Amino acid sequence: TLDRSSAASDVYKRQAPDTEDQTRVQGWAIGKPDVVYEMPKSFSIPATGTIKYQYFEVKTNFTEDRWVTAAEVRPGNRAVVHHLLVFAIDPQRPESWRRYQGGRAGYFAAMVPGERRAMYPSGAAKRLPANAMLLFQVHYTATGKPETDRSRIGLRFATKDVRREVFTRSAYERQRLVIPASVANHTVMARHRYEEEGHLLSLLPHMHLRGEAFKYVIHYPVGHTPASEVLLSVPVSYTHLTLPPSDLV
């Protein structure tokens, strides 16, 4: 369900950090976390070369599921952390995290250029399974000198009843994008099918240096008027965007 004037959109905007003082005092855009998880130890980044994606396991110790209303990933060394994705692995279903396809189909939390925190509307949260393992996937880049990093994530938990579970999903479909030579504008399409009704909280276009623009179009079930609608159409730079639905067009 998409409602441009929905309460969900209004709450999404209101829950953004509202004072610089809060950010400075707590050191976190989400306010003081209820819990902070850190990489087990520092990782050394060489001065030069390409560094493969690194994975770090971080244990949690909650004996029952917790509901996360805000999450913020903080790189230990911004100079070398290009992006960082966090996956929550359920010990009862350890293989289930593979549905995210290494981040191509979603994640639990993330830090990418322009985005490092997520805050959800009242009554909505992401589920952190009991005794979950947090898997940090980190993309490092060399700076020309040896560096170290020890990144972390801060979480805030629900204090009221959670009525809706939040998921991050992707419309990404292809491992490789083949752009023909000498073509000024080449369109690549991907899609995600929603099997049940829900509320769209935000969109996150992600593009590096070869792309120019993003367009998101929603196609409604047969009989709906209109049959489709443009949610977002923007030029995109290397910096990512996160927009609530009411601000999309």
Side-chain angles (χ1 to χ4, degrees), residues 4-243:
R4 296 190 185 286
S5 62
S6 68
S9 295
D10 293 340
V11 174
Y12 182 95
K13 288 183 287 186
R14 289 201 303 271
Q15 287 200 358
D18 52 8
T19 66
E20 291 185 4
D21 288 342
Q22 180 190 56
T23 301
R24 281 200 301 267
V25 171
Q26 303 293 356
W28 296 83
I30 61 172
K32 185 178 180 179
D34 292 315
V35 65
V36 176
Y37 292 106
E38 192 173 39
M39 287 165 45
K41 61 181 180 180
S42 295
F43 178 75
S44 297
I45 298 94
T48 60
T50 300
I51 300 100
K52 294 182 178 179
Y53 280 21
Q54 300 295 314
Y55 292 85
F56 306 94
E57 294 183 346
V58 181
K59 295 181 178 179
T60 66
N61 56 1
F62 294 106
T63 57
E64 58 185 16
D65 292 355
R66 301 301 300 265
W67 291 95
V68 176
T69 59
E72 181 176 351
V73 178
R74 293 178 64 90
N77 185 342
R78 293 179 182 275
V80 293
V81 179
H82 171 270
H83 75 261
L84 193 163
L85 302 183
V86 179
F87 305 96
I89 302 177
D90 187 341
Q92 301 300 316
R93 298 172 20 185
E95 296 299 315
S96 64
W97 80 277
R98 297 188 184 279
R99 70 180 183 274
Y100 295 115
Q101 300 178 46
R104 292 188 296 274
Y107 47 79
F108 181 73
M111 188 292 294
V112 296
E115 171 73 4
R116 64 184 178 89
R117 62 107 176 109
M119 303 176 74
Y120 307 122
S122 178
K126 282 191 173 182
R127 184 177 73 93
L128 179 66
N131 294 307
M133 177 76 73
L134 297 180
L135 183 65
F136 286 35
Q137 179 204 79
V138 192
H139 178 189
Y140 290 112
T141 56
T143 64
K145 63 178 182 178
E147 304 266 12
T148 60
D149 171 68
R150 192 175 184 183
S151 295
R152 53 187 175 155
I153 182 173
L155 305 175
R156 295 185 69 174
F157 298 127
T159 57
K160 300 179 180 179
D161 290 343
V162 174
R163 302 184 303 277
R164 294 182 232 168
E165 184 172 359
V166 177
F167 299 91
T168 300
R169 295 291 184 264
S170 173
Y172 184 95
E173 286 184 344
R174 307 184 183 192
Q175 284 280 102
R176 296 174 60 85
L177 304 181
V178 180
I179 304 173
S182 303
V183 174
N185 292 290
H186 177 67
T187 300
V188 176
M189 299 182 67
R191 67 190 65 195
H192 178 84
R193 181 182 180 88
Y194 292 91
E195 301 295 342
E196 56 186 320
E197 188 173 298
H199 290 267
L200 180 62
L201 297 180
S202 64
L203 297 172
L204 177 64
H206 179 120
M207 191 174 291
H208 285 207
L209 302 177
R210 293 178 185 259
E212 294 184 352
F214 256 97
K215 179 185 285 188
Y216 290 82
V217 180
I218 186 169
H219 296 272
Y220 295 106
V222 175
H224 188 281
T225 302
S228 64
E229 189 175 2
V230 175
L231 300 182
L232 175 67
S233 183
V234 292
V236 178
S237 67
Y238 187 68
T239 301
H240 307 277
L241 305 169
T242 301
L243 300 173

